[in-house]
Amino acid sequence: MSLDPKRPIKLGPSAVLAAVATGVLLCAPAGALAAAPSTVIDLTSSSVNASKSSVGVASNGTRTVTWVQNLGPIAEPTGYAIRGLRVSTKIVRVTTGTGKKRRTVNKAIEVKTPLAIVSESGKTVRDAVSSTASNGTTTVAWSSLDENGTSVTVRAIRITPTGRVGAPIELAAAGSRIRYLQIRSSANGVTTVVWRRDDSLKSWIEARRIDAAGLPGQTLDLTPDHGAHFDPRVAVRPNGSADVVWRREGVSRAVMQVRQIGPTGELGEIIDISNPDRPAAEEPVITMAPNGRSNIVWTEWTGSAYAMRLVRLDSTGARGRYVEVASQPTSPSPSVGVDSAGTATVCWTYRNRAGQFKLRLKRFSATYRAGALVDFGPAGKDSLVEGFGPTMTVAPSGMTTVVWSAVQGTAFPPQVYLQGVRIDVKGGRGATSTIVSPGRAGSVPDLLHYPTASVGGDGTAAIAFTRQKAVTGSPALLKLIAWK
C-alpha cells in the first residue's frame, strides 16, 4: 500500500498496521458508563511504536500491561523489546486548606511500576501474549523470528506480584514456524501456553505448561495426526487443568475439536464437537466458568447462513447439550464470557439492512435458559470498523462491558471513535458512550483500534486499545486512561 504523508490513510486492516499505539481504559465495576474519561497518561515516548498489547487484572485491582516496542529507529528497527507497566492504587492522606477549613482526606493515587521484560536484538517478535493470575503473577510468552526469517523460538517470563522479572524460560527451541500463541493462567499459578506449528506441508497444535514455581513441563502434541489444524484457543480451571479447542480442516469439511489437559499434564481424548452434517466450522472462542465447565462458542456454515453454537464441557470431558445461539448471513466474530453463576454471555457482530455493522448479545444461564436478544452498538449511520470486532469482558457479578471501534458515517478524513456499553446482569443496557474521540472533525484524526479486555475479581474491567495517527510516519504512543 502506498501512503501519501499529506493525506489521511483509508480505513482497513492494512492501514491500521502502518503504526500503532496502545492505551488502557479502566471501567468502574458497577453502574452505567461515565460521561467522560479521566486525564490521559502518556506511558511511552514519541520514539516508540507500541503494539501487541495485553492487559490483566489481579484480584486486588492491580493492572499489568505488556506490549512490544521497537529497538532503534522506528523506520528501521534493530530489534524489538517487550516492555510492561504495573499500575496499582495506593491510598494516601492529603491535607488541604488552612485554619478552620483545614481538612485531611483519603486520596487514591495511581502507582506506576515500569517493567523491562526482555530485548530481542536482531530479531522480530511475531506474537506476544500475557496472562495475569488472580494473585498478581503475570506470565508473558512470545515467539521471535531470527534475522534470516527462517527459525522461530518461543520463550516466556514470569513477573511476580512484587514486580520482579524472572529469567527467560524456553518453551520451544528454534525450529519450524510457530504462530498464534495463546496463554491462560489458573488460580493456583499454573500457566498453559498453546500455539500452532507448521512445516509448510502440515500443521499441528502444541501446548506447554509452566507450574506455580516457574518450571516448564514437557511439550504436549495435542494433534498427533499432524493434519491441518488452526486457531487454537485455551481456557483453564482453578486446579490448572485446561481445555484447548481448534479447527481441523479436512478434504471436504472443517470440524471443531477440543482436548483436555489434566492437572498433572495428562491428555484426554480428542473430541469432535461441531455438527457433522455442516460443511465448515470456524471462529472458536472459549472461556471457563468457576465451576470448571468450559463454554465453547464457534460458527458453522450451513450452506446458506452462519450459525453460532454453544456447548459446555465439564472437567471429565462430559458434554452438555448443544445450543443454537443465532443464525445470520454474515460471519459473526463471536466473543464469550461467563460470570460466577455460570451464565454465559455471547456477543457478536451483524450487518443491518443499511450495510452497517452493529452488535448483538445473548445470555444463557447455567441451566441453558436463554435470555433476551440485546441489540446495541454505534448509533445512527455510524458503524463498527469492518474487520475489527468488539471486545467483551464479563465480571463475576455478570456486569458486561463491550468496547469497539466505530467509524462516524461516511466522513473523510475518517473519524474512528472508541465506544462502549455496559449491560447489567438483568440485561439492562446503558447508553452507547464515546470513550475516546479521535479529534476534531475535518482535522487529521487518530484511528482507535484493537481493543482487548480483562476483568479483575472486584469487577474492574481493564481494556487495552491501539491508537494511530491517520498519516504515515506518525509515532505510536502508549496511553493510559481511567474511566470511573
Side-chain angles (χ1 to χ4, degrees), residues 1 3 9 12-21 49 74 447 450 468-476:
M1 181 178 64
L3 295 177
I9 63 176
S14 60
V16 298
L17 290 175
V20 293
N49 270 334
I74 293 176
L447 303 179
Y450 303 119
Q468 175 205 3
K469 202 70 176 176
V471 290
T472 189
S474 298

Side-chain angles (χ1 to χ4, degrees), residues 98-155:
T98 58
K100 294 183 178 180
K101 294 184 178 181
R102 183 182 177 89
R103 296 289 186 273
T104 301
V105 297
N106 290 333
K107 182 179 180 181
I109 62 172
E110 300 290 299
V111 178
K112 300 184 290 294
T113 305
L115 303 169
I117 299 171
V118 72
S119 295
E120 294 277 49
S121 181
K123 297 182 178 181
T124 299
V125 175
R126 300 182 69 179
D127 291 318
V129 292
S130 68
S131 180
T132 299
S134 58
N135 70 351
T137 299
T138 297
T139 305
V140 185
W142 69 96
S143 61
S144 53
L145 189 67
D146 66 14
E147 57 187 7
N148 296 321
T150 57
S151 185
V152 178
T153 303
V154 179
R155 296 196 292 169

